Amino acid sequence: MKYFVYKYSPKTIGVEPHQNLTVIVPKTKLQEYISLGFSMKNIIVCEPYTIANIFSSLTKQNYSSVEHVFTLDESMIFDIEVLNNFFTNDLHNLMINLLFRDKLFMRLRVHTLGIKQPKFMGDLVSPIITKPRLGQASQGIKIVQEIECNDSLISEEKINYDQMFTCDGIVCNGKIVKFYSNKYDYSPLDSINNGYIVISTNPFYWEDFTKIEELFCLTQEIVDGFDNSKNSIYPFHFEWFYESKEENFIFCEAAKRFGGGRIPEIIDFAFGEKFTNIFWSLINGLPVKVESLTRPKKHGTSFIKLNDGDPVTKFDHSYFNFENKVKYGIAIGKSATTSKDVSDFKFSSVFVSSSESEKMKRVQQLKRYCKIE
């Protein structure tokens, strides 16, 4: 039996029921798993939802039946891998999860691989970026002028770059079996100031496919350096800076999870593939045909309006001449303080376009709708 530990909504990750998959969830998420078709014998409710109680729940199972314990929750990835080791005696994934979780050790390992990344050792030239070693996404990132001597933080030089790309996919037995790339129209830090985020299918798919191949090779090189087990299946989310003048990709960071900002849905729209379904089919041992590097059929885009302190209103679809697949970050009528990171949003829209120019027109229409200058 495989045990999946996850405290968030299962709808965001496309988890599917299987007789050999048991989920360990908080009571507040029980009905969501039942609505997805999970049998009660494959659901363990854990309250309070702590590492100690998750461990206690696992000890009540037949030890010999515990095949694997895993999570896609970035904040728990290392702790859950330790529990997995207790029950399976598999030490290999501890190092993988440490490198994906701790940004300092991540930087150190990438340094040994010789892949270009921001300077983070020795004397740093301001402005300097500081971020928590165990932070998630853009949470806790600050721009400062001097290094803060704090071992819970990592400091690095703020680099100049033209574009920022994401690479998402699935690793199976040490090799990338699915690979997709998207582009941030603005950096996450700039997006917080702008009040919105735009993520869309990487234009290099149409403009210069060799750049997509280069991103694939660079990402695989880091996976090779991180993954010494060659016997696990997991999704990944990498971020890369790009200097167009030198045509250099510069490693930003990586995570062992699905990308945020509704990236799996962008992939579904652009490639016509159910990204999360492919992952769960592999986890559950179901037959699935995978081709690692494919080309998109359309441009997929996610437009995310960040919280601004005003109440959320119902999205008016009649304002648009194209279809928006909308999700709300908070309930209609409710308000939240101005966003401090990209996870705090009012609503998000995913849509498709036939070209980059059509995508930009639709983004402008969404900006006008949100009264963004």
Side-chain angles (χ1 to χ4, degrees):
M1 182 69 69
K2 295 175 181 176
Y3 293 86
F4 177 55
V5 181
Y6 201 65
K7 63 176 176 278
Y8 302 113
S9 171
K11 297 176 182 178
T12 61
I13 53 169
V15 61
E16 299 175 343
H18 189 271
Q19 61 184 8
N20 195 42
L21 180 69
T22 292
V23 295
I24 303 178
V25 302
K27 187 177 181 179
T28 55
K29 301 303 176 187
L30 173 60
Q31 290 303 318
E32 290 192 54
Y33 281 90
I34 292 174
S35 69
L36 290 175
F38 276 83
S39 165
M40 281 303 298
K41 69 179 183 180
N42 289 95
I43 303 175
I44 297 174
V45 175
C46 180
E47 288 291 338
Y49 202 75
T50 63
I51 295 296
N53 285 336
I54 292 167
F55 174 78
S56 176
S57 297
L58 287 166
T59 60
K60 297 173 184 176
Q61 313 307 309
N62 184 343
Y63 269 59
S64 62
S65 73
V66 180
E67 180 184 346
H68 188 44
V69 185
F70 69 106
T71 185
L72 296 179
D73 179 352
E74 192 171 8
S75 68
M76 300 179 77
I77 191 170
F78 191 73
D79 294 334
I80 297 305
E81 189 54 49
V82 173
L83 297 190
N84 179 60
N85 172 244
F86 290 165
F87 289 90
T88 66
N89 293 318
D90 181 3
L91 288 167
H92 295 99
N93 288 320
L94 283 172
M95 181 58 73
I96 303 172
N97 286 356
L98 175 64
L99 294 174
F100 273 110
R101 180 73 179 108
D102 189 312
K103 290 178 169 58
L104 175 59
F105 288 119
M106 180 188 297
R107 282 268 179 261
L108 292 170
R109 182 61 177 135
V110 171
H111 178 77
T112 67
L113 298 174
I115 293 174
K116 190 169 184 179
Q117 62 180 338
K119 184 180 179 183
F120 68 102
M121 295 184 291
D123 294 329
L124 304 182
V125 177
S126 63
I128 296 167
I129 297 284
T130 65
K131 48 189 172 182
R133 286 173 57 176
L134 303 180
Q136 300 176 70
S138 61
Q139 294 176 2
I141 296 179
K142 297 178 181 178
I143 299 177
V144 299
Q145 299 304 312
E146 296 180 355
I147 297 175
E148 182 177 345
C149 292
N150 184 339
D151 281 337
S152 68
L153 300 174
I154 178 172
S155 300
E156 58 190 48
E157 287 186 357
K158 185 177 185 295
I159 64 168
N160 295 317
Y161 61 93
D162 305 294
Q163 299 179 77
M164 189 171 180
F165 297 104
T166 72
C167 295
D168 292 80
I170 303 167
V171 170
C172 183
N173 300 329
K175 296 299 178 185
I176 296 173
V177 296
K178 291 306 300 181
F179 180 88
Y180 312 95
S181 183
N182 293 287
K183 171 192 170 186
Y184 285 109
D185 277 23
Y186 303 96
S187 75
L189 285 178
D190 289 337
S191 294
I192 293 172
N193 295 327
N194 295 339
Y196 69 99
I197 307 164
V198 178
I199 309 171
S200 56
T201 310
N202 191 332
F204 280 143
Y205 278 107
W206 293 274
E207 297 169 3
D208 187 353
F209 193 72
T210 62
K211 293 291 191 298
I212 300 295
E213 294 172 323
E214 184 179 353
L215 277 171
F216 176 91
C217 292
L218 285 167
T219 303
Q220 180 65 68
E221 191 174 345
I222 292 179
V223 168
D224 289 341
F226 282 18
D227 189 346
N228 61 353
S229 71
K230 305 294 187 285
N231 67 351
S232 56
I233 302 169
Y234 53 88
F236 64 81
H237 174 74
F238 279 64
E239 294 181 346
W240 296 87
F241 303 120
Y242 182 67
E243 295 176 327
S244 57
K245 184 177 180 180
E246 302 295 330
E247 296 189 343
N248 280 331
F249 289 107
I250 303 167
F251 175 71
C252 175
E253 61 184 44
K256 194 179 172 187
R257 58 170 172 79
F258 294 115
R262 299 179 70 182
I263 283 177
E265 292 175 75
I266 298 173
I267 292 167
D268 294 351
F269 276 40
F271 290 82
E273 298 179 344
K274 289 291 185 180
F275 174 33
T276 57
N277 289 10
I278 294 171
F279 169 73
W280 290 109
S281 293
L282 290 168
I283 283 289
N284 292 325
L286 300 176
V288 56
K289 184 179 180 181
V290 291
E291 184 180 354
S292 59
L293 200 55
T294 55
R295 295 174 186 259
K297 299 175 177 65
K298 298 178 181 178
H299 295 250
T301 301
S302 173
F303 177 93
I304 304 165
K305 177 65 179 77
L306 300 177
N307 287 322
D308 53 15
D310 294 332
V312 175
T313 56
K314 187 174 181 180
F315 191 85
D316 184 3
H317 289 272
S318 66
Y319 185 88
F320 301 90
N321 59 359
F322 60 94
E323 183 180 354
N324 288 273
K325 188 178 179 182
V326 173
K327 288 185 178 179
Y328 298 98
I330 52 177
I332 294 172
K334 300 291 184 179
S335 60
T337 56
T338 303
S339 297
K340 295 180 180 179
D341 62 68
V342 296
S343 64
D344 298 328
F345 67 98
K346 294 181 76 170
F347 78 87
S348 61
S349 164
V350 175
F351 61 89
V352 293
S353 311
S354 59
S355 65
E356 182 72 12
S357 59
E358 184 177 71
K359 180 208 87 172
M360 291 307 301
K361 289 178 182 178
R362 292 179 171 180
V363 167
Q364 290 303 317
Q365 194 173 352
L366 280 158
K367 286 175 63 179
R368 288 194 298 271
Y369 175 77
C370 295
K371 298 180 173 57
I372 297 172
E373 298 297 329

